[in-house]
Amino acid sequence: MTDTPTPKPGKVRLPAEDLRIFSAALLEKGGLSPEHAATTADVFVWAALRGVDSHGIARVPAYLELLAKGVANAQAEISIESTTPAAAVLDADRAPGPVALSAAAEEAVSRARTTGIASVGVRGTVHTGAIGYYVSKIAEQGMVGLGFVAGMPNMGYTGVKGPAVATSPLAIAVPTDPSSSHAPLLLDMATATIALGKIRQAKASGTPLPEGAAATEDGTPTTDPATAVMPLPLGGAKGSGMSLAFELLTSVLVGAPIFAAFHSDDPKGRKHRQNALLIAVDPAAFGGTEGFTEGVGATLSTLKGLPVADGADGVHYPGERSAAVAVERTEHGIPVAPKVWRELMENAEKFGITPPTPLV
């Protein structure tokens, strides 16, 4: 018999649906429409369920601040521009990322049903959130989803002194047969060795950082959290090269360059914004959906059946562990850190919203 997991000291656990409703209510009070508030809350809860707490419920207070300051546009007028059936550009008008990218994912799937493959560029959004969510939504429709994001430079670049490129993420979701035991494959990664949030956590605790993970303001690698200000690219030139490529595939492609503007003399170039590209691929256009999902299943089963290395706890594919975390958190609730819970309570009191009751 397995004991019910207990959260770390100070953390509370809440049912996912309660957190979804509560988060949506707060975001609606923050200025979003009921529909957009629900969409944004769903992205946060999805991330929290999968253990990606940095992009989970902790983002609610941050988004309320973005909305209050006008950095995110609560009344954004999203528009679609297209000159060909297989491609489009979604102008987000500074809408929160979950709103803009959810709409882009739907648009990509709709077009791919006709064209076999379709891409939608997103121009001028604000913090995309967990990009794995959007490609997973594409995979739920039986298609392969790919996503790229470019943001504000906050990471080193090989050979450059100081911050140069962004910790731009890449995500790929591949559907599996719903009747199989395999969760969809979900590769969701940043181009940085370590997240900025991890550097802040290490700074607060005084814990040394891993070698080659972070750098000082002038780009010198350091393990001292007190002097570290930015992450270093994953794999050195590989990670920085990927980030630069994503800037070209997203920002430059949709006519809204970030990198060049950021490093120019124009102060407007430092205004926070992000761009993205979502791609939907319909297996039906490449020989058939059934054969594809069978092949995916066979591939994953083969991987799982390979000999386990000494000291390893098993063989896992991308997305498998987080899917298991989602099952556990769906059953036992989502843990929320004390600081985040306090911030949520403060906003609830401010807006006159009754918060959900934590699980015992």
Side-chain angles (χ1 to χ4, degrees), residues 20 38-47 50 52 55 97-99 101-103 105-106 128-140 171-173 186-188 278:
R20 185 179 287 107
T39 296
T40 304
D42 194 56
V43 174
F44 295 158
V45 171
W46 179 90
R50 299 182 73 92
V52 189
H55 286 63
V99 174
L101 269 73
S102 291
E106 292 180 7
T128 52
I131 189 174
Y133 173 90
Y134 315 109
V135 295
S136 291
K137 283 297 182 182
I138 293 174
E140 286 178 6
I172 301 172
L186 175 59
L187 174 66
D188 188 350
L278 294 180

PDB file of all heavy atoms in Angstrom, residues 20 38-47 50 52 55 97-99 101-103 105-106 128-140 171-173 186-188 278:
ATOM      1  N   ARG A  20      -7.911  25.814 -10.502  1.00  0.00           N
ATOM      2  CA  ARG A  20      -8.250  26.343 -11.825  1.00  0.00           C
ATOM      3  C   ARG A  20      -9.341  27.408 -11.713  1.00  0.00           C
ATOM      4  O   ARG A  20      -9.222  28.508 -12.283  1.00  0.00           O
ATOM      5  CB  ARG A  20      -8.707  25.202 -12.741  1.00  0.00           C
ATOM      6  CG  ARG A  20      -8.972  25.636 -14.177  1.00  0.00           C
ATOM      7  CD  ARG A  20      -9.389  24.462 -15.045  1.00  0.00           C
ATOM      8  NE  ARG A  20      -8.263  23.576 -15.351  1.00  0.00           N
ATOM      9  CZ  ARG A  20      -8.083  22.390 -14.827  1.00  0.00           C
ATOM     10  NH1 ARG A  20      -8.945  21.919 -13.934  1.00  0.00           N
ATOM     11  NH2 ARG A  20      -7.056  21.645 -15.167  1.00  0.00           N
ATOM     12  N   ALA A  38     -10.037  31.885 -18.052  1.00  0.00           N
ATOM     13  CA  ALA A  38     -10.118  30.430 -17.931  1.00  0.00           C
ATOM     14  C   ALA A  38      -8.991  29.756 -18.720  1.00  0.00           C
ATOM     15  O   ALA A  38      -8.384  28.786 -18.253  1.00  0.00           O
ATOM     16  CB  ALA A  38     -11.472  29.937 -18.431  1.00  0.00           C
ATOM     17  N   THR A  39      -8.701  30.261 -19.914  1.00  0.00           N
ATOM     18  CA  THR A  39      -7.622  29.708 -20.736  1.00  0.00           C
ATOM     19  C   THR A  39      -6.278  29.846 -20.042  1.00  0.00           C
ATOM     20  O   THR A  39      -5.483  28.906 -19.974  1.00  0.00           O
ATOM     21  CB  THR A  39      -7.566  30.423 -22.097  1.00  0.00           C
ATOM     22  OG1 THR A  39      -8.773  30.159 -22.815  1.00  0.00           O
ATOM     23  CG2 THR A  39      -6.379  29.945 -22.922  1.00  0.00           C
ATOM     24  N   THR A  40      -6.017  31.029 -19.500  1.00  0.00           N
ATOM     25  CA  THR A  40      -4.743  31.289 -18.829  1.00  0.00           C
ATOM     26  C   THR A  40      -4.599  30.420 -17.585  1.00  0.00           C
ATOM     27  O   THR A  40      -3.534  29.851 -17.324  1.00  0.00           O
ATOM     28  CB  THR A  40      -4.634  32.776 -18.454  1.00  0.00           C
ATOM     29  OG1 THR A  40      -4.804  33.571 -19.639  1.00  0.00           O
ATOM     30  CG2 THR A  40      -3.281  33.091 -17.838  1.00  0.00           C
ATOM     31  N   ALA A  41      -5.670  30.310 -16.815  1.00  0.00           N
ATOM     32  CA  ALA A  41      -5.636  29.471 -15.614  1.00  0.00           C
ATOM     33  C   ALA A  41      -5.390  28.013 -15.978  1.00  0.00           C
ATOM     34  O   ALA A  41      -4.679  27.299 -15.263  1.00  0.00           O
ATOM     35  CB  ALA A  41      -6.957  29.611 -14.850  1.00  0.00           C
ATOM     36  N   ASP A  42      -5.956  27.556 -17.086  1.00  0.00           N
ATOM     37  CA  ASP A  42      -5.781  26.161 -17.497  1.00  0.00           C
ATOM     38  C   ASP A  42      -4.315  25.865 -17.821  1.00  0.00           C
ATOM     39  O   ASP A  42      -3.804  24.791 -17.492  1.00  0.00           O
ATOM     40  CB  ASP A  42      -6.646  25.876 -18.727  1.00  0.00           C
ATOM     41  CG  ASP A  42      -6.781  24.381 -18.998  1.00  0.00           C
ATOM     42  OD1 ASP A  42      -7.213  23.652 -18.085  1.00  0.00           O
ATOM     43  OD2 ASP A  42      -6.447  23.950 -20.110  1.00  0.00           O
ATOM     44  N   VAL A  43      -3.627  26.833 -18.437  1.00  0.00           N
ATOM     45  CA  VAL A  43      -2.204  26.662 -18.744  1.00  0.00           C
ATOM     46  C   VAL A  43      -1.398  26.540 -17.456  1.00  0.00           C
ATOM     47  O   VAL A  43      -0.515  25.681 -17.328  1.00  0.00           O
ATOM     48  CB  VAL A  43      -1.683  27.839 -19.595  1.00  0.00           C
ATOM     49  CG1 VAL A  43      -0.173  27.730 -19.797  1.00  0.00           C
ATOM     50  CG2 VAL A  43      -2.390  27.879 -20.945  1.00  0.00           C
ATOM     51  N   PHE A  44      -1.704  27.397 -16.478  1.00  0.00           N
ATOM     52  CA  PHE A  44      -0.985  27.362 -15.202  1.00  0.00           C
ATOM     53  C   PHE A  44      -1.216  26.047 -14.459  1.00  0.00           C
ATOM     54  O   PHE A  44      -0.277  25.456 -13.919  1.00  0.00           O
ATOM     55  CB  PHE A  44      -1.436  28.522 -14.312  1.00  0.00           C
ATOM     56  CG  PHE A  44      -1.087  29.887 -14.845  1.00  0.00           C
ATOM     57  CD1 PHE A  44      -1.779  31.009 -14.428  1.00  0.00           C
ATOM     58  CD2 PHE A  44      -0.071  30.059 -15.770  1.00  0.00           C
ATOM     59  CE1 PHE A  44      -1.459  32.268 -14.910  1.00  0.00           C
ATOM     60  CE2 PHE A  44       0.263  31.314 -16.258  1.00  0.00           C
ATOM     61  CZ  PHE A  44      -0.443  32.429 -15.824  1.00  0.00           C
ATOM     62  N   VAL A  45      -2.455  25.599 -14.417  1.00  0.00           N
ATOM     63  CA  VAL A  45      -2.766  24.364 -13.704  1.00  0.00           C
ATOM     64  C   VAL A  45      -2.150  23.161 -14.418  1.00  0.00           C
ATOM     65  O   VAL A  45      -1.667  22.224 -13.777  1.00  0.00           O
ATOM     66  CB  VAL A  45      -4.289  24.196 -13.544  1.00  0.00           C
ATOM     67  CG1 VAL A  45      -4.635  22.812 -12.998  1.00  0.00           C
ATOM     68  CG2 VAL A  45      -4.845  25.273 -12.615  1.00  0.00           C
ATOM     69  N   TRP A  46      -2.155  23.180 -15.739  1.00  0.00           N
ATOM     70  CA  TRP A  46      -1.514  22.098 -16.506  1.00  0.00           C
ATOM     71  C   TRP A  46      -0.051  21.974 -16.113  1.00  0.00           C
ATOM     72  O   TRP A  46       0.452  20.874 -15.868  1.00  0.00           O
ATOM     73  CB  TRP A  46      -1.644  22.380 -17.998  1.00  0.00           C
ATOM     74  CG  TRP A  46      -1.004  21.349 -18.890  1.00  0.00           C
ATOM     75  CD1 TRP A  46      -1.587  20.226 -19.407  1.00  0.00           C
ATOM     76  CD2 TRP A  46       0.358  21.352 -19.370  1.00  0.00           C
ATOM     77  NE1 TRP A  46      -0.681  19.527 -20.180  1.00  0.00           N
ATOM     78  CE2 TRP A  46       0.514  20.196 -20.173  1.00  0.00           C
ATOM     79  CE3 TRP A  46       1.442  22.206 -19.208  1.00  0.00           C
ATOM     80  CZ2 TRP A  46       1.727  19.887 -20.805  1.00  0.00           C
ATOM     81  CZ3 TRP A  46       2.647  21.900 -19.837  1.00  0.00           C
ATOM     82  CH2 TRP A  46       2.779  20.744 -20.625  1.00  0.00           C
ATOM     83  N   ALA A  47       0.649  23.109 -16.052  1.00  0.00           N
ATOM     84  CA  ALA A  47       2.066  23.091 -15.692  1.00  0.00           C
ATOM     85  C   ALA A  47       2.249  22.614 -14.261  1.00  0.00           C
ATOM     86  O   ALA A  47       3.151  21.819 -13.963  1.00  0.00           O
ATOM     87  CB  ALA A  47       2.666  24.489 -15.870  1.00  0.00           C
ATOM     88  N   ARG A  50       1.948  18.884 -13.807  1.00  0.00           N
ATOM     89  CA  ARG A  50       3.081  18.132 -14.337  1.00  0.00           C
ATOM     90  C   ARG A  50       4.367  18.406 -13.575  1.00  0.00           C
ATOM     91  O   ARG A  50       5.436  17.924 -13.950  1.00  0.00           O
ATOM     92  CB  ARG A  50       3.263  18.436 -15.823  1.00  0.00           C
ATOM     93  CG  ARG A  50       2.046  18.049 -16.669  1.00  0.00           C
ATOM     94  CD  ARG A  50       2.283  18.306 -18.138  1.00  0.00           C
ATOM     95  NE  ARG A  50       3.210  17.340 -18.710  1.00  0.00           N
ATOM     96  CZ  ARG A  50       2.846  16.193 -19.293  1.00  0.00           C
ATOM     97  NH1 ARG A  50       1.573  15.872 -19.371  1.00  0.00           N
ATOM     98  NH2 ARG A  50       3.744  15.367 -19.786  1.00  0.00           N
ATOM     99  N   VAL A  52       5.836  21.349 -13.142  1.00  0.00           N
ATOM    100  CA  VAL A  52       6.575  22.517 -13.626  1.00  0.00           C
ATOM    101  C   VAL A  52       6.079  23.734 -12.837  1.00  0.00           C
ATOM    102  O   VAL A  52       5.399  24.612 -13.353  1.00  0.00           O
ATOM    103  CB  VAL A  52       6.374  22.728 -15.143  1.00  0.00           C
ATOM    104  CG1 VAL A  52       7.328  23.802 -15.667  1.00  0.00           C
ATOM    105  CG2 VAL A  52       6.580  21.429 -15.900  1.00  0.00           C
ATOM    106  N   HIS A  55       6.199  27.531 -13.775  1.00  0.00           N
ATOM    107  CA  HIS A  55       5.242  28.055 -14.739  1.00  0.00           C
ATOM    108  C   HIS A  55       3.800  27.728 -14.333  1.00  0.00           C
ATOM    109  O   HIS A  55       2.877  27.846 -15.136  1.00  0.00           O
ATOM    110  CB  HIS A  55       5.516  27.476 -16.127  1.00  0.00           C
ATOM    111  CG  HIS A  55       6.717  28.056 -16.787  1.00  0.00           C
ATOM    112  ND1 HIS A  55       7.984  27.912 -16.280  1.00  0.00           N
ATOM    113  CD2 HIS A  55       6.861  28.816 -17.897  1.00  0.00           C
ATOM    114  CE1 HIS A  55       8.847  28.540 -17.064  1.00  0.00           C
ATOM    115  NE2 HIS A  55       8.198  29.098 -18.040  1.00  0.00           N
ATOM    116  N   GLY A  97       0.528  35.354 -23.070  1.00  0.00           N
ATOM    117  CA  GLY A  97       0.920  34.216 -23.884  1.00  0.00           C
ATOM    118  C   GLY A  97      -0.090  33.086 -23.936  1.00  0.00           C
ATOM    119  O   GLY A  97      -0.367  32.554 -25.021  1.00  0.00           O
ATOM    120  N   PRO A  98      -0.654  32.667 -22.794  1.00  0.00           N
ATOM    121  CA  PRO A  98      -1.625  31.573 -22.842  1.00  0.00           C
ATOM    122  C   PRO A  98      -2.818  31.854 -23.752  1.00  0.00           C
ATOM    123  O   PRO A  98      -3.335  30.944 -24.403  1.00  0.00           O
ATOM    124  CB  PRO A  98      -2.070  31.456 -21.374  1.00  0.00           C
ATOM    125  CG  PRO A  98      -0.871  31.890 -20.606  1.00  0.00           C
ATOM    126  CD  PRO A  98      -0.300  33.028 -21.404  1.00  0.00           C
ATOM    127  N   VAL A  99      -3.235  33.110 -23.821  1.00  0.00           N
ATOM    128  CA  VAL A  99      -4.354  33.488 -24.682  1.00  0.00           C
ATOM    129  C   VAL A  99      -3.926  33.417 -26.146  1.00  0.00           C
ATOM    130  O   VAL A  99      -4.605  32.805 -26.979  1.00  0.00           O
ATOM    131  CB  VAL A  99      -4.849  34.907 -24.338  1.00  0.00           C
ATOM    132  CG1 VAL A  99      -5.922  35.358 -25.332  1.00  0.00           C
ATOM    133  CG2 VAL A  99      -5.382  34.963 -22.918  1.00  0.00           C
ATOM    134  N   LEU A 101      -1.150  31.987 -27.627  1.00  0.00           N
ATOM    135  CA  LEU A 101      -0.651  30.715 -28.145  1.00  0.00           C
ATOM    136  C   LEU A 101      -1.719  29.628 -28.183  1.00  0.00           C
ATOM    137  O   LEU A 101      -1.664  28.728 -29.017  1.00  0.00           O
ATOM    138  CB  LEU A 101       0.574  30.248 -27.351  1.00  0.00           C
ATOM    139  CG  LEU A 101       1.910  30.745 -27.939  1.00  0.00           C
ATOM    140  CD1 LEU A 101       2.095  32.229 -27.667  1.00  0.00           C
ATOM    141  CD2 LEU A 101       3.080  29.959 -27.414  1.00  0.00           C
ATOM    142  N   SER A 102      -2.700  29.706 -27.294  1.00  0.00           N
ATOM    143  CA  SER A 102      -3.814  28.748 -27.370  1.00  0.00           C
ATOM    144  C   SER A 102      -4.584  28.974 -28.659  1.00  0.00           C
ATOM    145  O   SER A 102      -4.981  28.020 -29.349  1.00  0.00           O
ATOM    146  CB  SER A 102      -4.738  28.913 -26.157  1.00  0.00           C
ATOM    147  OG  SER A 102      -4.104  28.479 -24.972  1.00  0.00           O
ATOM    148  N   ALA A 103      -4.798  30.243 -29.012  1.00  0.00           N
ATOM    149  CA  ALA A 103      -5.492  30.568 -30.257  1.00  0.00           C
ATOM    150  C   ALA A 103      -4.654  30.137 -31.459  1.00  0.00           C
ATOM    151  O   ALA A 103      -5.190  29.625 -32.456  1.00  0.00           O
ATOM    152  CB  ALA A 103      -5.780  32.070 -30.326  1.00  0.00           C
ATOM    153  N   ALA A 105      -2.485  27.646 -31.556  1.00  0.00           N
ATOM    154  CA  ALA A 105      -2.516  26.183 -31.649  1.00  0.00           C
ATOM    155  C   ALA A 105      -3.789  25.712 -32.347  1.00  0.00           C
ATOM    156  O   ALA A 105      -3.758  24.826 -33.212  1.00  0.00           O
ATOM    157  CB  ALA A 105      -2.411  25.564 -30.258  1.00  0.00           C
ATOM    158  N   GLU A 106      -4.919  26.314 -31.985  1.00  0.00           N
ATOM    159  CA  GLU A 106      -6.189  25.961 -32.624  1.00  0.00           C
ATOM    160  C   GLU A 106      -6.156  26.287 -34.117  1.00  0.00           C
ATOM    161  O   GLU A 106      -6.640  25.512 -34.951  1.00  0.00           O
ATOM    162  CB  GLU A 106      -7.337  26.724 -31.949  1.00  0.00           C
ATOM    163  CG  GLU A 106      -7.622  26.288 -30.523  1.00  0.00           C
ATOM    164  CD  GLU A 106      -8.756  27.083 -29.904  1.00  0.00           C
ATOM    165  OE1 GLU A 106      -9.386  27.870 -30.641  1.00  0.00           O
ATOM    166  OE2 GLU A 106      -9.011  26.914 -28.688  1.00  0.00           O
ATOM    167  N   THR A 128       5.003  33.602 -22.725  1.00  0.00           N
ATOM    168  CA  THR A 128       4.245  32.510 -23.346  1.00  0.00           C
ATOM    169  C   THR A 128       3.803  31.425 -22.375  1.00  0.00           C
ATOM    170  O   THR A 128       2.933  30.622 -22.691  1.00  0.00           O
ATOM    171  CB  THR A 128       5.090  31.856 -24.450  1.00  0.00           C
ATOM    172  OG1 THR A 128       6.366  31.497 -23.915  1.00  0.00           O
ATOM    173  CG2 THR A 128       5.282  32.810 -25.599  1.00  0.00           C
ATOM    174  N   GLY A 129       4.389  31.372 -21.168  1.00  0.00           N
ATOM    175  CA  GLY A 129       4.024  30.306 -20.249  1.00  0.00           C
ATOM    176  C   GLY A 129       4.667  28.998 -20.673  1.00  0.00           C
ATOM    177  O   GLY A 129       5.647  28.976 -21.423  1.00  0.00           O
ATOM    178  N   ALA A 130       4.125  27.880 -20.205  1.00  0.00           N
ATOM    179  CA  ALA A 130       4.685  26.554 -20.507  1.00  0.00           C
ATOM    180  C   ALA A 130       4.374  26.190 -21.947  1.00  0.00           C
ATOM    181  O   ALA A 130       3.245  25.819 -22.279  1.00  0.00           O
ATOM    182  CB  ALA A 130       4.109  25.515 -19.551  1.00  0.00           C
ATOM    183  N   ILE A 131       5.367  26.259 -22.818  1.00  0.00           N
ATOM    184  CA  ILE A 131       5.132  26.018 -24.241  1.00  0.00           C
ATOM    185  C   ILE A 131       4.695  24.576 -24.511  1.00  0.00           C
ATOM    186  O   ILE A 131       4.026  24.277 -25.494  1.00  0.00           O
ATOM    187  CB  ILE A 131       6.381  26.388 -25.071  1.00  0.00           C
ATOM    188  CG1 ILE A 131       6.057  26.343 -26.557  1.00  0.00           C
ATOM    189  CG2 ILE A 131       7.544  25.503 -24.723  1.00  0.00           C
ATOM    190  CD1 ILE A 131       7.179  26.820 -27.441  1.00  0.00           C
ATOM    191  N   GLY A 132       5.057  23.667 -23.578  1.00  0.00           N
ATOM    192  CA  GLY A 132       4.626  22.291 -23.733  1.00  0.00           C
ATOM    193  C   GLY A 132       3.115  22.134 -23.764  1.00  0.00           C
ATOM    194  O   GLY A 132       2.588  21.191 -24.363  1.00  0.00           O
ATOM    195  N   TYR A 133       2.413  23.052 -23.125  1.00  0.00           N
ATOM    196  CA  TYR A 133       0.944  23.004 -23.093  1.00  0.00           C
ATOM    197  C   TYR A 133       0.376  23.094 -24.508  1.00  0.00           C
ATOM    198  O   TYR A 133      -0.523  22.324 -24.876  1.00  0.00           O
ATOM    199  CB  TYR A 133       0.413  24.153 -22.244  1.00  0.00           C
ATOM    200  CG  TYR A 133      -1.092  24.316 -22.264  1.00  0.00           C
ATOM    201  CD1 TYR A 133      -1.900  23.661 -21.325  1.00  0.00           C
ATOM    202  CD2 TYR A 133      -1.720  25.126 -23.207  1.00  0.00           C
ATOM    203  CE1 TYR A 133      -3.281  23.816 -21.331  1.00  0.00           C
ATOM    204  CE2 TYR A 133      -3.094  25.286 -23.226  1.00  0.00           C
ATOM    205  CZ  TYR A 133      -3.875  24.631 -22.287  1.00  0.00           C
ATOM    206  OH  TYR A 133      -5.240  24.789 -22.311  1.00  0.00           O
ATOM    207  N   TYR A 134       0.886  24.018 -25.298  1.00  0.00           N
ATOM    208  CA  TYR A 134       0.299  24.284 -26.622  1.00  0.00           C
ATOM    209  C   TYR A 134       0.580  23.153 -27.601  1.00  0.00           C
ATOM    210  O   TYR A 134      -0.313  22.770 -28.365  1.00  0.00           O
ATOM    211  CB  TYR A 134       0.836  25.619 -27.153  1.00  0.00           C
ATOM    212  CG  TYR A 134       0.810  26.697 -26.097  1.00  0.00           C
ATOM    213  CD1 TYR A 134       1.982  27.173 -25.520  1.00  0.00           C
ATOM    214  CD2 TYR A 134      -0.403  27.200 -25.615  1.00  0.00           C
ATOM    215  CE1 TYR A 134       1.958  28.133 -24.516  1.00  0.00           C
ATOM    216  CE2 TYR A 134      -0.433  28.153 -24.605  1.00  0.00           C
ATOM    217  CZ  TYR A 134       0.753  28.614 -24.056  1.00  0.00           C
ATOM    218  OH  TYR A 134       0.727  29.540 -23.047  1.00  0.00           O
ATOM    219  N   VAL A 135       1.785  22.608 -27.580  1.00  0.00           N
ATOM    220  CA  VAL A 135       2.057  21.489 -28.478  1.00  0.00           C
ATOM    221  C   VAL A 135       1.303  20.240 -28.016  1.00  0.00           C
ATOM    222  O   VAL A 135       0.924  19.393 -28.825  1.00  0.00           O
ATOM    223  CB  VAL A 135       3.568  21.214 -28.606  1.00  0.00           C
ATOM    224  CG1 VAL A 135       4.278  22.390 -29.279  1.00  0.00           C
ATOM    225  CG2 VAL A 135       4.204  20.907 -27.265  1.00  0.00           C
ATOM    226  N   SER A 136       1.067  20.137 -26.696  1.00  0.00           N
ATOM    227  CA  SER A 136       0.273  19.013 -26.182  1.00  0.00           C
ATOM    228  C   SER A 136      -1.174  19.117 -26.665  1.00  0.00           C
ATOM    229  O   SER A 136      -1.815  18.097 -26.953  1.00  0.00           O
ATOM    230  CB  SER A 136       0.309  18.987 -24.653  1.00  0.00           C
ATOM    231  OG  SER A 136       1.593  18.647 -24.183  1.00  0.00           O
ATOM    232  N   LYS A 137      -1.687  20.334 -26.744  1.00  0.00           N
ATOM    233  CA  LYS A 137      -3.040  20.542 -27.256  1.00  0.00           C
ATOM    234  C   LYS A 137      -3.130  20.116 -28.717  1.00  0.00           C
ATOM    235  O   LYS A 137      -4.151  19.575 -29.162  1.00  0.00           O
ATOM    236  CB  LYS A 137      -3.440  22.012 -27.110  1.00  0.00           C
ATOM    237  CG  LYS A 137      -3.818  22.402 -25.695  1.00  0.00           C
ATOM    238  CD  LYS A 137      -5.041  21.625 -25.223  1.00  0.00           C
ATOM    239  CE  LYS A 137      -5.479  22.003 -23.837  1.00  0.00           C
ATOM    240  NZ  LYS A 137      -6.641  21.195 -23.378  1.00  0.00           N
ATOM    241  N   ILE A 138      -2.057  20.354 -29.461  1.00  0.00           N
ATOM    242  CA  ILE A 138      -2.016  19.905 -30.848  1.00  0.00           C
ATOM    243  C   ILE A 138      -1.995  18.375 -30.899  1.00  0.00           C
ATOM    244  O   ILE A 138      -2.697  17.749 -31.702  1.00  0.00           O
ATOM    245  CB  ILE A 138      -0.784  20.504 -31.571  1.00  0.00           C
ATOM    246  CG1 ILE A 138      -0.934  22.018 -31.692  1.00  0.00           C
ATOM    247  CG2 ILE A 138      -0.596  19.860 -32.941  1.00  0.00           C
ATOM    248  CD1 ILE A 138       0.293  22.725 -32.253  1.00  0.00           C
ATOM    249  N   ALA A 139      -1.197  17.762 -30.018  1.00  0.00           N
ATOM    250  CA  ALA A 139      -1.102  16.301 -29.977  1.00  0.00           C
ATOM    251  C   ALA A 139      -2.431  15.657 -29.586  1.00  0.00           C
ATOM    252  O   ALA A 139      -2.747  14.557 -30.037  1.00  0.00           O
ATOM    253  CB  ALA A 139      -0.001  15.872 -29.013  1.00  0.00           C
ATOM    254  N   GLU A 140      -3.195  16.346 -28.750  1.00  0.00           N
ATOM    255  CA  GLU A 140      -4.510  15.818 -28.355  1.00  0.00           C
ATOM    256  C   GLU A 140      -5.439  15.683 -29.558  1.00  0.00           C
ATOM    257  O   GLU A 140      -6.402  14.915 -29.526  1.00  0.00           O
ATOM    258  CB  GLU A 140      -5.149  16.736 -27.314  1.00  0.00           C
ATOM    259  CG  GLU A 140      -4.524  16.626 -25.932  1.00  0.00           C
ATOM    260  CD  GLU A 140      -5.158  17.587 -24.936  1.00  0.00           C
ATOM    261  OE1 GLU A 140      -6.155  18.252 -25.297  1.00  0.00           O
ATOM    262  OE2 GLU A 140      -4.656  17.679 -23.802  1.00  0.00           O
ATOM    263  N   ALA A 171       9.641  22.952 -27.892  1.00  0.00           N
ATOM    264  CA  ALA A 171       8.781  21.863 -27.408  1.00  0.00           C
ATOM    265  C   ALA A 171       8.267  21.047 -28.593  1.00  0.00           C
ATOM    266  O   ALA A 171       7.926  21.603 -29.639  1.00  0.00           O
ATOM    267  CB  ALA A 171       7.613  22.408 -26.601  1.00  0.00           C
ATOM    268  N   ILE A 172       8.212  19.732 -28.399  1.00  0.00           N
ATOM    269  CA  ILE A 172       7.693  18.815 -29.411  1.00  0.00           C
ATOM    270  C   ILE A 172       6.784  17.809 -28.712  1.00  0.00           C
ATOM    271  O   ILE A 172       7.183  17.195 -27.719  1.00  0.00           O
ATOM    272  CB  ILE A 172       8.818  18.055 -30.135  1.00  0.00           C
ATOM    273  CG1 ILE A 172       9.784  19.029 -30.817  1.00  0.00           C
ATOM    274  CG2 ILE A 172       8.235  17.077 -31.158  1.00  0.00           C
ATOM    275  CD1 ILE A 172      11.025  18.352 -31.397  1.00  0.00           C
ATOM    276  N   ALA A 173       5.580  17.649 -29.215  1.00  0.00           N
ATOM    277  CA  ALA A 173       4.646  16.663 -28.663  1.00  0.00           C
ATOM    278  C   ALA A 173       4.238  15.693 -29.770  1.00  0.00           C
ATOM    279  O   ALA A 173       3.878  16.120 -30.872  1.00  0.00           O
ATOM    280  CB  ALA A 173       3.407  17.344 -28.092  1.00  0.00           C
ATOM    281  N   LEU A 186       6.578  14.150 -24.912  1.00  0.00           N
ATOM    282  CA  LEU A 186       6.609  15.608 -24.800  1.00  0.00           C
ATOM    283  C   LEU A 186       8.020  16.048 -24.430  1.00  0.00           C
ATOM    284  O   LEU A 186       8.461  15.894 -23.291  1.00  0.00           O
ATOM    285  CB  LEU A 186       5.615  16.099 -23.749  1.00  0.00           C
ATOM    286  CG  LEU A 186       5.650  17.610 -23.458  1.00  0.00           C
ATOM    287  CD1 LEU A 186       5.368  18.407 -24.730  1.00  0.00           C
ATOM    288  CD2 LEU A 186       4.658  17.971 -22.363  1.00  0.00           C
ATOM    289  N   LEU A 187       8.705  16.604 -25.408  1.00  0.00           N
ATOM    290  CA  LEU A 187      10.017  17.190 -25.173  1.00  0.00           C
ATOM    291  C   LEU A 187       9.817  18.687 -24.992  1.00  0.00           C
ATOM    292  O   LEU A 187       9.332  19.367 -25.889  1.00  0.00           O
ATOM    293  CB  LEU A 187      10.945  16.921 -26.360  1.00  0.00           C
ATOM    294  CG  LEU A 187      12.316  17.612 -26.313  1.00  0.00           C
ATOM    295  CD1 LEU A 187      13.151  17.046 -25.164  1.00  0.00           C
ATOM    296  CD2 LEU A 187      13.041  17.460 -27.640  1.00  0.00           C
ATOM    297  N   ASP A 188      10.152  19.196 -23.831  1.00  0.00           N
ATOM    298  CA  ASP A 188       9.957  20.619 -23.521  1.00  0.00           C
ATOM    299  C   ASP A 188      11.234  21.100 -22.838  1.00  0.00           C
ATOM    300  O   ASP A 188      11.510  20.739 -21.698  1.00  0.00           O
ATOM    301  CB  ASP A 188       8.748  20.795 -22.609  1.00  0.00           C
ATOM    302  CG  ASP A 188       8.363  22.256 -22.408  1.00  0.00           C
ATOM    303  OD1 ASP A 188       9.136  23.142 -22.816  1.00  0.00           O
ATOM    304  OD2 ASP A 188       7.286  22.519 -21.838  1.00  0.00           O
ATOM    305  N   LEU A 278       4.229  28.069 -33.859  1.00  0.00           N
ATOM    306  CA  LEU A 278       3.646  26.754 -33.596  1.00  0.00           C
ATOM    307  C   LEU A 278       3.386  26.052 -34.925  1.00  0.00           C
ATOM    308  O   LEU A 278       2.908  26.669 -35.882  1.00  0.00           O
ATOM    309  CB  LEU A 278       2.340  26.881 -32.812  1.00  0.00           C
ATOM    310  CG  LEU A 278       2.448  27.414 -31.383  1.00  0.00           C
ATOM    311  CD1 LEU A 278       1.059  27.475 -30.736  1.00  0.00           C
ATOM    312  CD2 LEU A 278       3.379  26.555 -30.542  1.00  0.00           C
TER     313      LEU A 278
END
